[in-house]
Amino acid sequence: MAKIRGNKVTFDPNNLVLAAGATSANETLIFCLVDPGQAILLPTPYYPGFNRDLKWRTGVEIVPVHCWSSNGFRITMSALEDAYQSAQTLNLKVKGVLITNPSNPLGTTMTREELNHLITFAIAKNIHIISDEVFAGTVFDSPGFISIMEAAVDLRLENENPDLWNRIHIVYSLSKDLGLPGFRVGMIYSNNETVVSAATRMSSFGLVSSQTQYLLSNMLANKKFTSKYMKENQKRLKRKREMLVSDLRTSGMECLKSNAGLFCWVDMRHLLSSNTFEAETKLWKTILCEVGLNMTAGESCHCSEPGWFRVCFASMSQATLQIAMRRLRDFAERSSCSGRIGNKISSQQQKMSSLRRKLLSNWVHKLSSSECDEQHR
């Protein structure tokens, strides 16, 4: 953790609690900090799985901090204040704000100004800060990564504001940085002894196996290997992202400028039949059924604006990515010729896509139904 953060922060092993992945770590931390019926603030767009991880078993409410494309979806003090007031209106007690840095789905790192806004806000409202930093080691381009702990150290919070120092918590995992999602190794880091003690007791419900710990201890001890691995991983991520962005631009689509993560945040607003989330869902289904590509629609990430999609690129080969981009380019060209999505496509195109529709329609229906069920829950 210290190496990824440029050794600008010293981490005490006694403040570390292991968990079976970041999912378990996030849920455990919410159990420790927030009572059922209370709320946390979460900037949008955010990882779709947070509704499951943070709400389902804890009984906690999520209040979105609405961020907008006009400033690159950056967190502002006014957005934080608006979300806090919304919670007050709903008679919800806010216990903390959770951020992902680097962001999933944006693929961006937070600026020092944003982190300072969060710290100032947390001091004023007397709330916790949870920083999910599972993509910290994927930063492949400038600006560099600044951890919430680094920002806190630079402001000398340990001495000048020990109360907030004890309300800052980090969630981390080896899944993304070392490509080990199946190993289920996550962790909580906190300066708060009470939180560490409670999380340690709760970790019994999601332990990391002794065999996994033994294997990873030996692997992490080989600092030459881990350093070389992460540098190579970052280099490959950057190369593949540049390829994706270039191909998308050729197809008339732009991406949010990003420097981290395994995905791009793609602007497809010009392909919508109307500026609505219904049109976004229709576009997603069209690309899925007719083009054969699955992307995460912005509404699933609780984006405040329709027409944005998360495109994951890291797990596929370069050849597969080229095929996907060719399909998307052909689709964009057809759309520009025939008008926006929602206009009638040619009978030949309908015949070509009929097989895909038959194979995928039931699956799409089930997926849409599960999304409705999740929203209902």
Side-chain angles (χ1 to χ4, degrees), residues 2-52:
K3 186 174 182 179
I4 288 172
R5 291 154 182 80
N7 292 311
K8 298 175 182 178
V9 181
T10 301
F11 291 95
D12 183 352
N14 293 319
N15 294 347
L16 198 69
V17 181
L18 289 182
T23 294
S24 178
N26 272 312
E27 185 187 55
T28 296
L29 200 47
I30 294 300
F31 267 124
C32 291
L33 302 178
V34 193
D35 289 333
Q38 295 179 339
I40 57 168
L41 306 183
L42 196 54
T44 65
Y46 60 78
Y47 167 55
F50 275 152
N51 278 11
R52 171 201 64 208

Tab-separated table of all heavy atoms in Angstrom, residues 2-52:
chain	number	residue	atom	x	y	z
A	2	ALA	N	1.936	1.220	0.782
A	2	ALA	CA	2.812	2.392	0.848
A	2	ALA	C	3.543	2.610	-0.470
A	2	ALA	O	3.680	3.749	-0.940
A	2	ALA	CB	3.817	2.229	1.989
A	3	LYS	N	3.990	1.527	-1.084
A	3	LYS	CA	4.748	1.655	-2.335
A	3	LYS	C	3.895	2.239	-3.447
A	3	LYS	O	4.345	3.092	-4.217
A	3	LYS	CB	5.302	0.287	-2.743
A	3	LYS	CG	6.216	0.353	-3.955
A	3	LYS	CD	6.857	-0.992	-4.233
A	3	LYS	CE	7.807	-0.887	-5.423
A	3	LYS	NZ	8.466	-2.188	-5.707
A	4	ILE	N	2.639	1.759	-3.552
A	4	ILE	CA	1.740	2.262	-4.589
A	4	ILE	C	1.513	3.762	-4.417
A	4	ILE	O	1.332	4.497	-5.393
A	4	ILE	CB	0.395	1.500	-4.538
A	4	ILE	CG1	0.590	0.076	-5.056
A	4	ILE	CG2	-0.677	2.206	-5.351
A	4	ILE	CD1	-0.605	-0.801	-4.863
A	5	ARG	N	1.554	4.226	-3.178
A	5	ARG	CA	1.333	5.639	-2.891
A	5	ARG	C	2.633	6.426	-2.821
A	5	ARG	O	2.715	7.493	-2.212
A	5	ARG	CB	0.547	5.774	-1.571
A	5	ARG	CG	-0.891	5.278	-1.724
A	5	ARG	CD	-1.503	4.799	-0.432
A	5	ARG	NE	-2.859	4.285	-0.658
A	5	ARG	CZ	-3.132	3.084	-1.140
A	5	ARG	NH1	-2.160	2.251	-1.445
A	5	ARG	NH2	-4.379	2.697	-1.324
A	6	GLY	N	3.683	5.894	-3.462
A	6	GLY	CA	4.953	6.592	-3.554
A	6	GLY	C	5.679	6.741	-2.234
A	6	GLY	O	6.524	7.626	-2.080
A	7	ASN	N	5.353	5.861	-1.281
A	7	ASN	CA	5.959	5.906	0.061
A	7	ASN	C	5.811	7.275	0.724
A	7	ASN	O	6.630	7.670	1.554
A	7	ASN	CB	7.439	5.501	-0.002
A	7	ASN	CG	7.618	4.037	-0.351
A	7	ASN	OD1	6.986	3.171	0.250
A	7	ASN	ND2	8.456	3.764	-1.342
A	8	LYS	N	4.737	7.972	0.357
A	8	LYS	CA	4.454	9.271	0.977
A	8	LYS	C	3.667	9.114	2.266
A	8	LYS	O	3.508	10.078	3.022
A	8	LYS	CB	3.688	10.162	-0.007
A	8	LYS	CG	4.468	10.491	-1.278
A	8	LYS	CD	3.614	11.278	-2.260
A	8	LYS	CE	4.372	11.552	-3.548
A	8	LYS	NZ	3.532	12.270	-4.542
A	9	VAL	N	3.153	7.905	2.481
A	9	VAL	CA	2.368	7.621	3.674
A	9	VAL	C	2.913	6.349	4.314
A	9	VAL	O	3.242	5.387	3.611
A	9	VAL	CB	0.873	7.407	3.331
A	9	VAL	CG1	0.067	7.137	4.585
A	9	VAL	CG2	0.319	8.623	2.597
A	10	THR	N	3.008	6.358	5.635
A	10	THR	CA	3.425	5.168	6.367
A	10	THR	C	2.192	4.475	6.929
A	10	THR	O	1.354	5.112	7.573
A	10	THR	CB	4.371	5.533	7.527
A	10	THR	OG1	5.518	6.202	6.997
A	10	THR	CG2	4.817	4.281	8.270
A	11	PHE	N	2.085	3.176	6.673
A	11	PHE	CA	0.934	2.404	7.135
A	11	PHE	C	1.342	1.477	8.272
A	11	PHE	O	2.359	0.776	8.178
A	11	PHE	CB	0.330	1.593	5.989
A	11	PHE	CG	-0.353	2.441	4.946
A	11	PHE	CD1	0.324	2.848	3.805
A	11	PHE	CD2	-1.669	2.836	5.114
A	11	PHE	CE1	-0.311	3.633	2.849
A	11	PHE	CE2	-2.312	3.619	4.168
A	11	PHE	CZ	-1.632	4.023	3.031
A	12	ASP	N	0.550	1.472	9.332
A	12	ASP	CA	0.792	0.630	10.491
A	12	ASP	C	0.050	-0.696	10.304
A	12	ASP	O	-1.185	-0.703	10.210
A	12	ASP	CB	0.299	1.343	11.751
A	12	ASP	CG	0.575	0.562	13.022
A	12	ASP	OD1	1.006	-0.607	12.922
A	12	ASP	OD2	0.347	1.110	14.114
A	13	PRO	N	0.756	-1.829	10.252
A	13	PRO	CA	0.081	-3.131	10.070
A	13	PRO	C	-0.975	-3.417	11.131
A	13	PRO	O	-1.926	-4.160	10.866
A	13	PRO	CB	1.241	-4.138	10.159
A	13	PRO	CG	2.459	-3.359	9.818
A	13	PRO	CD	2.218	-1.957	10.322
A	14	ASN	N	-0.838	-2.827	12.308
A	14	ASN	CA	-1.816	-3.050	13.370
A	14	ASN	C	-3.174	-2.417	13.058
A	14	ASN	O	-4.175	-2.739	13.713
A	14	ASN	CB	-1.293	-2.504	14.703
A	14	ASN	CG	-0.090	-3.279	15.211
A	14	ASN	OD1	-0.058	-4.503	15.128
A	14	ASN	ND2	0.910	-2.567	15.714
A	15	ASN	N	-3.192	-1.504	12.094
A	15	ASN	CA	-4.448	-0.833	11.714
A	15	ASN	C	-5.114	-1.489	10.514
A	15	ASN	O	-6.057	-0.947	9.949
A	15	ASN	CB	-4.187	0.640	11.397
A	15	ASN	CG	-3.745	1.430	12.612
A	15	ASN	OD1	-3.851	0.943	13.739
A	15	ASN	ND2	-3.240	2.621	12.401
A	16	LEU	N	-4.619	-2.656	10.113
A	16	LEU	CA	-5.084	-3.340	8.914
A	16	LEU	C	-5.949	-4.539	9.290
A	16	LEU	O	-5.591	-5.321	10.170
A	16	LEU	CB	-3.880	-3.815	8.098
A	16	LEU	CG	-4.092	-4.178	6.629
A	16	LEU	CD1	-4.410	-2.936	5.812
A	16	LEU	CD2	-2.822	-4.838	6.094
A	17	VAL	N	-7.097	-4.669	8.634
A	17	VAL	CA	-7.995	-5.807	8.844
A	17	VAL	C	-8.242	-6.480	7.502
A	17	VAL	O	-8.689	-5.828	6.551
A	17	VAL	CB	-9.343	-5.371	9.451
A	17	VAL	CG1	-10.246	-6.583	9.679
A	17	VAL	CG2	-9.134	-4.602	10.751
A	18	LEU	N	-7.952	-7.769	7.410
A	18	LEU	CA	-8.166	-8.502	6.167
A	18	LEU	C	-9.628	-8.921	6.034
A	18	LEU	O	-10.306	-9.177	7.027
A	18	LEU	CB	-7.285	-9.748	6.113
A	18	LEU	CG	-5.778	-9.525	5.920
A	18	LEU	CD1	-5.063	-10.866	5.843
A	18	LEU	CD2	-5.498	-8.704	4.684
A	19	ALA	N	-10.083	-8.987	4.781
A	19	ALA	CA	-11.459	-9.405	4.484
A	19	ALA	C	-11.462	-10.167	3.169
A	19	ALA	O	-10.504	-10.093	2.391
A	19	ALA	CB	-12.379	-8.189	4.398
A	20	ALA	N	-12.528	-10.905	2.926
A	20	ALA	CA	-12.627	-11.703	1.698
A	20	ALA	C	-13.028	-10.814	0.523
A	20	ALA	O	-14.153	-10.883	0.008
A	20	ALA	CB	-13.633	-12.834	1.884
A	21	GLY	N	-12.124	-9.945	0.112
A	21	GLY	CA	-12.363	-9.036	-1.004
A	21	GLY	C	-12.864	-7.678	-0.557
A	21	GLY	O	-13.286	-7.491	0.591
A	22	ALA	N	-12.819	-6.717	-1.481
A	22	ALA	CA	-13.265	-5.358	-1.169
A	22	ALA	C	-14.764	-5.303	-0.902
A	22	ALA	O	-15.231	-4.454	-0.131
A	22	ALA	CB	-12.899	-4.415	-2.309
A	23	THR	N	-15.538	-6.197	-1.528
A	23	THR	CA	-16.975	-6.242	-1.272
A	23	THR	C	-17.238	-6.477	0.207
A	23	THR	O	-18.011	-5.753	0.849
A	23	THR	CB	-17.638	-7.356	-2.106
A	23	THR	OG1	-17.545	-7.017	-3.490
A	23	THR	CG2	-19.098	-7.514	-1.741
A	24	SER	N	-16.588	-7.490	0.761
A	24	SER	CA	-16.739	-7.797	2.184
A	24	SER	C	-16.202	-6.668	3.054
A	24	SER	O	-16.795	-6.321	4.081
A	24	SER	CB	-16.013	-9.106	2.505
A	24	SER	OG	-16.098	-9.416	3.882
A	25	ALA	N	-15.085	-6.059	2.633
A	25	ALA	CA	-14.477	-4.977	3.410
A	25	ALA	C	-15.404	-3.771	3.484
A	25	ALA	O	-15.592	-3.165	4.551
A	25	ALA	CB	-13.138	-4.581	2.800
A	26	ASN	N	-15.996	-3.405	2.347
A	26	ASN	CA	-16.916	-2.265	2.331
A	26	ASN	C	-18.133	-2.515	3.212
A	26	ASN	O	-18.553	-1.647	3.986
A	26	ASN	CB	-17.362	-1.968	0.896
A	26	ASN	CG	-16.435	-1.016	0.174
A	26	ASN	OD1	-16.073	0.028	0.702
A	26	ASN	ND2	-16.029	-1.367	-1.032
A	27	GLU	N	-18.713	-3.701	3.102
A	27	GLU	CA	-19.889	-4.007	3.897
A	27	GLU	C	-19.557	-4.000	5.388
A	27	GLU	O	-20.307	-3.452	6.203
A	27	GLU	CB	-20.480	-5.363	3.496
A	27	GLU	CG	-21.792	-5.655	4.218
A	27	GLU	CD	-22.305	-7.060	3.958
A	27	GLU	OE1	-21.542	-8.017	4.202
A	27	GLU	OE2	-23.459	-7.201	3.522
A	28	THR	N	-18.424	-4.602	5.755
A	28	THR	CA	-18.011	-4.635	7.156
A	28	THR	C	-17.828	-3.229	7.707
A	28	THR	O	-18.260	-2.917	8.826
A	28	THR	CB	-16.699	-5.433	7.306
A	28	THR	OG1	-16.924	-6.791	6.924
A	28	THR	CG2	-16.186	-5.389	8.733
A	29	LEU	N	-17.207	-2.372	6.907
A	29	LEU	CA	-16.975	-0.996	7.356
A	29	LEU	C	-18.292	-0.247	7.544
A	29	LEU	O	-18.453	0.510	8.514
A	29	LEU	CB	-16.086	-0.285	6.335
A	29	LEU	CG	-15.326	0.968	6.786
A	29	LEU	CD1	-14.615	0.760	8.115
A	29	LEU	CD2	-14.339	1.389	5.712
A	30	ILE	N	-19.248	-0.473	6.651
A	30	ILE	CA	-20.557	0.171	6.795
A	30	ILE	C	-21.265	-0.330	8.048
A	30	ILE	O	-21.865	0.446	8.800
A	30	ILE	CB	-21.424	-0.074	5.534
A	30	ILE	CG1	-20.811	0.619	4.318
A	30	ILE	CG2	-22.849	0.432	5.761
A	30	ILE	CD1	-20.673	2.129	4.458
A	31	PHE	N	-21.197	-1.638	8.299
A	31	PHE	CA	-21.770	-2.186	9.533
A	31	PHE	C	-21.177	-1.497	10.767
A	31	PHE	O	-21.876	-1.246	11.753
A	31	PHE	CB	-21.514	-3.692	9.619
A	31	PHE	CG	-22.614	-4.547	9.056
A	31	PHE	CD1	-22.347	-5.474	8.052
A	31	PHE	CD2	-23.916	-4.439	9.526
A	31	PHE	CE1	-23.357	-6.275	7.538
A	31	PHE	CE2	-24.939	-5.240	9.018
A	31	PHE	CZ	-24.655	-6.161	8.028
A	32	CYS	N	-19.877	-1.215	10.719
A	32	CYS	CA	-19.183	-0.617	11.873
A	32	CYS	C	-19.541	0.852	12.082
A	32	CYS	O	-19.551	1.335	13.215
A	32	CYS	CB	-17.668	-0.745	11.701
A	32	CYS	SG	-17.027	-2.424	11.810
A	33	LEU	N	-19.821	1.569	11.008
A	33	LEU	CA	-19.927	3.030	11.090
A	33	LEU	C	-21.355	3.565	11.044
A	33	LEU	O	-21.613	4.660	11.545
A	33	LEU	CB	-19.129	3.678	9.947
A	33	LEU	CG	-17.638	3.356	9.861
A	33	LEU	CD1	-17.027	4.035	8.642
A	33	LEU	CD2	-16.919	3.787	11.131
A	34	VAL	N	-22.263	2.827	10.413
A	34	VAL	CA	-23.591	3.378	10.119
A	34	VAL	C	-24.675	2.443	10.636
A	34	VAL	O	-24.612	1.235	10.419
A	34	VAL	CB	-23.773	3.592	8.596
A	34	VAL	CG1	-25.009	4.446	8.329
A	34	VAL	CG2	-22.539	4.245	7.982
A	35	ASP	N	-25.669	3.002	11.301
A	35	ASP	CA	-26.797	2.209	11.794
A	35	ASP	C	-27.867	2.075	10.712
A	35	ASP	O	-27.974	2.936	9.822
A	35	ASP	CB	-27.417	2.871	13.032
A	35	ASP	CG	-26.520	2.773	14.249
A	35	ASP	OD1	-25.719	1.813	14.311
A	35	ASP	OD2	-26.611	3.646	15.136
A	36	PRO	N	-28.679	1.029	10.779
A	36	PRO	CA	-29.794	0.892	9.826
A	36	PRO	C	-30.692	2.131	9.847
A	36	PRO	O	-30.990	2.672	10.905
A	36	PRO	CB	-30.551	-0.334	10.347
A	36	PRO	CG	-29.520	-1.133	11.081
A	36	PRO	CD	-28.605	-0.118	11.702
A	37	GLY	N	-31.056	2.583	8.650
A	37	GLY	CA	-31.893	3.769	8.552
A	37	GLY	C	-31.111	5.058	8.452
A	37	GLY	O	-31.679	6.112	8.146
A	38	GLN	N	-29.794	5.006	8.691
A	38	GLN	CA	-28.947	6.176	8.497
A	38	GLN	C	-28.388	6.155	7.079
A	38	GLN	O	-28.677	5.240	6.304
A	38	GLN	CB	-27.831	6.198	9.547
A	38	GLN	CG	-28.352	6.382	10.967
A	38	GLN	CD	-27.246	6.381	12.007
A	38	GLN	OE1	-26.149	5.881	11.790
A	38	GLN	NE2	-27.551	6.951	13.173
A	39	ALA	N	-27.590	7.161	6.715
A	39	ALA	CA	-27.215	7.311	5.315
A	39	ALA	C	-25.733	7.611	5.135
A	39	ALA	O	-25.058	8.111	6.045
A	39	ALA	CB	-28.040	8.428	4.670
A	40	ILE	N	-25.253	7.276	3.948
A	40	ILE	CA	-23.944	7.722	3.497
A	40	ILE	C	-24.124	8.455	2.174
A	40	ILE	O	-25.060	8.168	1.409
A	40	ILE	CB	-22.957	6.556	3.318
A	40	ILE	CG1	-23.517	5.519	2.328
A	40	ILE	CG2	-22.609	5.913	4.649
A	40	ILE	CD1	-22.483	4.508	1.898
A	41	LEU	N	-23.238	9.390	1.898
A	41	LEU	CA	-23.243	10.121	0.634
A	41	LEU	C	-22.295	9.428	-0.341
A	41	LEU	O	-21.220	8.959	0.041
A	41	LEU	CB	-22.799	11.573	0.849
A	41	LEU	CG	-23.551	12.382	1.911
A	41	LEU	CD1	-23.020	13.823	1.943
A	41	LEU	CD2	-25.050	12.366	1.645
A	42	LEU	N	-22.692	9.379	-1.616
A	42	LEU	CA	-21.899	8.676	-2.619
A	42	LEU	C	-21.935	9.464	-3.928
A	42	LEU	O	-22.994	9.609	-4.539
A	42	LEU	CB	-22.485	7.276	-2.825
A	42	LEU	CG	-21.653	6.215	-3.526
A	42	LEU	CD1	-20.301	6.037	-2.853
A	42	LEU	CD2	-22.396	4.889	-3.538
A	43	PRO	N	-20.783	10.006	-4.361
A	43	PRO	CA	-20.758	10.772	-5.612
A	43	PRO	C	-21.109	9.911	-6.820
A	43	PRO	O	-20.722	8.737	-6.903
A	43	PRO	CB	-19.307	11.261	-5.693
A	43	PRO	CG	-18.814	11.237	-4.275
A	43	PRO	CD	-19.499	10.056	-3.655
A	44	THR	N	-21.853	10.494	-7.746
A	44	THR	CA	-22.235	9.808	-8.979
A	44	THR	C	-21.332	10.255	-10.128
A	44	THR	O	-20.814	11.378	-10.105
A	44	THR	CB	-23.695	10.113	-9.344
A	44	THR	OG1	-23.827	11.507	-9.656
A	44	THR	CG2	-24.630	9.754	-8.218
A	45	PRO	N	-21.169	9.376	-11.148
A	45	PRO	CA	-21.636	8.000	-11.194
A	45	PRO	C	-20.793	7.097	-10.305
A	45	PRO	O	-19.627	7.391	-10.060
A	45	PRO	CB	-21.464	7.638	-12.680
A	45	PRO	CG	-20.324	8.495	-13.146
A	45	PRO	CD	-20.461	9.788	-12.395
A	46	TYR	N	-21.398	5.994	-9.823
A	46	TYR	CA	-20.644	5.099	-8.957
A	46	TYR	C	-20.849	3.637	-9.357
A	46	TYR	O	-21.763	3.302	-10.109
A	46	TYR	CB	-20.989	5.325	-7.482
A	46	TYR	CG	-22.435	5.112	-7.063
A	46	TYR	CD1	-22.951	3.835	-6.864
A	46	TYR	CD2	-23.267	6.210	-6.808
A	46	TYR	CE1	-24.261	3.647	-6.433
A	46	TYR	CE2	-24.581	6.027	-6.376
A	46	TYR	CZ	-25.062	4.737	-6.194
A	46	TYR	OH	-26.355	4.551	-5.769
A	47	TYR	N	-19.975	2.799	-8.854
A	47	TYR	CA	-19.967	1.359	-9.130
A	47	TYR	C	-21.352	0.763	-8.857
A	47	TYR	O	-21.879	0.895	-7.754
A	47	TYR	CB	-18.905	0.709	-8.253
A	47	TYR	CG	-18.947	-0.790	-8.152
A	47	TYR	CD1	-18.911	-1.601	-9.292
A	47	TYR	CD2	-18.995	-1.415	-6.898
A	47	TYR	CE1	-18.931	-2.979	-9.181
A	47	TYR	CE2	-19.007	-2.793	-6.786
A	47	TYR	CZ	-18.985	-3.574	-7.922
A	47	TYR	OH	-19.006	-4.936	-7.811
A	48	PRO	N	-21.971	0.083	-9.851
A	48	PRO	CA	-23.338	-0.429	-9.672
A	48	PRO	C	-23.501	-1.375	-8.490
A	48	PRO	O	-24.566	-1.432	-7.879
A	48	PRO	CB	-23.602	-1.158	-11.007
A	48	PRO	CG	-22.672	-0.532	-11.986
A	48	PRO	CD	-21.452	-0.158	-11.212
A	49	GLY	N	-22.440	-2.113	-8.148
A	49	GLY	CA	-22.542	-3.087	-7.064
A	49	GLY	C	-22.633	-2.479	-5.682
A	49	GLY	O	-22.899	-3.207	-4.703
A	50	PHE	N	-22.440	-1.169	-5.551
A	50	PHE	CA	-22.506	-0.547	-4.227
A	50	PHE	C	-23.898	-0.661	-3.610
A	50	PHE	O	-24.027	-0.715	-2.382
A	50	PHE	CB	-22.079	0.918	-4.296
A	50	PHE	CG	-20.592	1.109	-4.206
A	50	PHE	CD1	-19.978	2.210	-4.805
A	50	PHE	CD2	-19.795	0.223	-3.512
A	50	PHE	CE1	-18.604	2.393	-4.719
A	50	PHE	CE2	-18.419	0.398	-3.417
A	50	PHE	CZ	-17.824	1.485	-4.032
A	51	ASN	N	-24.936	-0.658	-4.429
A	51	ASN	CA	-26.287	-0.836	-3.870
A	51	ASN	C	-26.387	-2.155	-3.122
A	51	ASN	O	-27.007	-2.238	-2.065
A	51	ASN	CB	-27.335	-0.784	-4.985
A	51	ASN	CG	-27.688	0.644	-5.352
A	51	ASN	OD1	-27.016	1.575	-4.923
A	51	ASN	ND2	-28.709	0.814	-6.154
A	52	ARG	N	-25.772	-3.193	-3.694
A	52	ARG	CA	-25.755	-4.496	-3.041
A	52	ARG	C	-24.803	-4.493	-1.834
A	52	ARG	O	-25.170	-4.907	-0.737
A	52	ARG	CB	-25.301	-5.554	-4.052
A	52	ARG	CG	-25.029	-6.939	-3.487
A	52	ARG	CD	-24.117	-7.710	-4.429
A	52	ARG	NE	-22.811	-7.075	-4.527
A	52	ARG	CZ	-22.036	-7.164	-5.608
A	52	ARG	NH1	-22.435	-7.820	-6.662
A	52	ARG	NH2	-20.842	-6.577	-5.609
